[in-house]
Amino acid sequence: MSFFVCKGCGYVAFGRAPEKCPVCGAPQTMFGQNDRLFEESAQNSPEGGGKHTPVVTVNTDCGMIPEKSCTDVLVRVGETLHPMEEKHFISFIDCYVDNEWVSRVQLTSAMYPGVVFHLQSAGKAVTVVEHCSLHGYWKAEASS
Ligand SMILES: [Fe+2]
């Protein structure tokens, strides 16, 4: 899988660079390819997986939107809760369905690193990407 990173907002596109960044609107020329993006983070922080790899839970039984068949994607970073401090925090969590970006939650050090995406459909595969201000990019696939 190839990865293309937007230099404007850090968004990661899977497979190809889009004409326009879906998060910040930057043009394709602002994307740089780095197929080892996630491997590099893991190599630079060999002990970091437990604190950074998103823990993803998929629920098809939504309590918030019961009138629709809502799929909840619950994400926390990580199995050992990641710190949220001024200089070391999870800056965003992005959700993808079938390798297409769906939504981003921007985080600050006033929050815990946990979010919920209420999806109309989980497709065949849900992927979650998180970015740590110090330790780079980490991702996980959903397990329902
Ligand atoms: Fe970190």
Side-chain angles (χ1 to χ4, degrees):
M1 172 76 78
S2 297
F3 302 112
F4 298 83
V5 183
C6 175
K7 294 184 181 84
C9 69
Y11 162 72
V12 180
F14 297 169
R16 63 192 149 71
E19 274 177 36
K20 205 174 102 175
C21 176
V23 176
C24 74
Q28 198 169 52
T29 52
M30 284 282 280
F31 280 79
Q33 184 169 359
N34 181 358
D35 296 347
R36 299 192 63 255
L37 186 67
F38 299 100
E39 283 165 57
E40 282 172 1
S41 299
Q43 269 169 15
N44 293 339
S45 311
E47 311 285 301
K51 262 203 301 190
H52 290 94
T53 303
V55 179
V56 184
T57 309
V58 177
N59 283 342
T60 51
D61 195 10
C62 181
M64 186 176 167
I65 308 172
E67 65 270 43
K68 298 284 184 186
S69 61
C70 177
T71 300
D72 301 342
V73 177
L74 291 78
V75 183
R76 62 167 275 165
V77 182
E79 201 165 280
T80 302
L81 197 67
H82 190 278
M84 292 296 274
E85 297 157 356
E86 194 185 340
K87 292 189 172 136
H88 182 203
F89 61 100
I90 304 306
S91 54
F92 62 78
I93 299 175
D94 279 350
C95 180
Y96 302 70
V97 171
D98 295 341
N99 290 332
E100 295 292 331
W101 180 82
V102 174
S103 181
R104 163 173 297 188
V105 176
Q106 199 88 37
L107 299 157
T108 69
S109 59
M111 301 165 70
Y112 289 115
V115 301
V116 183
F117 298 96
H118 295 275
L119 302 181
Q120 293 191 14
S121 164
K124 290 196 181 80
V126 172
T127 305
V128 171
V129 170
E130 67 94 343
H131 179 260
C132 167
S133 60
L134 286 186
H135 301 108
Y137 288 94
W138 304 75
K139 80 175 163 68
E141 314 292 327
S143 56
S144 41

